[in-house]
Amino acid sequence: MELTMAAEELKTAVNRLRRAQGQIAGVIKMIEDGRDCEEVVTQLAAASRALDKAGFAIIATGLQHCLADADSAAAGDRDEMRARLEKLFLSLA
């Protein structure tokens, strides 16, 4: 199952990933500078949330495409698609 998605549909996810990238760079610098543990963990949690949201947005976009294609798919293909999407959702849980 290939999830071909237009860049415009994933713009929000890409923005979240860029934000997380900046937050992770900030966390590394904070650790190197010996910053307060609470501040580091707070920034790390924010980066983690940004990554999770980006992952869910990517999966949701893929799911939308899969549902559009599901009408033309055979029953076995739908079952396989469902199992793979379920696995993707669980990987972010």
Side-chain angles (χ1 to χ4, degrees):
M1 168 181 63
E2 185 176 327
L3 300 179
T4 309
M5 297 170 252
E8 187 62 34
E9 293 175 303
L10 295 175
K11 188 175 184 177
T12 302
V14 170
N15 288 339
R16 285 187 175 129
L17 290 170
R18 286 192 177 115
R19 185 177 315 121
Q21 183 179 31
Q23 290 169 324
I24 291 169
V27 168
I28 292 168
K29 180 150 177 40
M30 291 171 77
I31 291 170
E32 292 172 344
D33 292 347
R35 297 278 296 271
D36 179 66
C37 180
E38 188 175 342
E39 293 175 19
V40 172
V41 171
T42 298
Q43 285 303 310
L44 194 57
S48 179
R49 284 190 303 275
L51 289 172
D52 287 344
K53 287 180 180 181
F56 286 126
I58 291 167
I59 291 172
T61 302
L63 180 59
Q64 181 180 6
H65 283 270
C66 289
L67 288 175
D69 295 339
D71 291 335
S72 61
D77 292 340
R78 283 193 301 263
D79 291 343
E80 179 186 348
M81 186 183 310
R82 181 187 176 280
R84 292 178 75 177
L85 287 169
E86 184 177 329
K87 183 177 178 181
L88 287 173
F89 272 113
L90 291 174
S91 72
L92 290 175

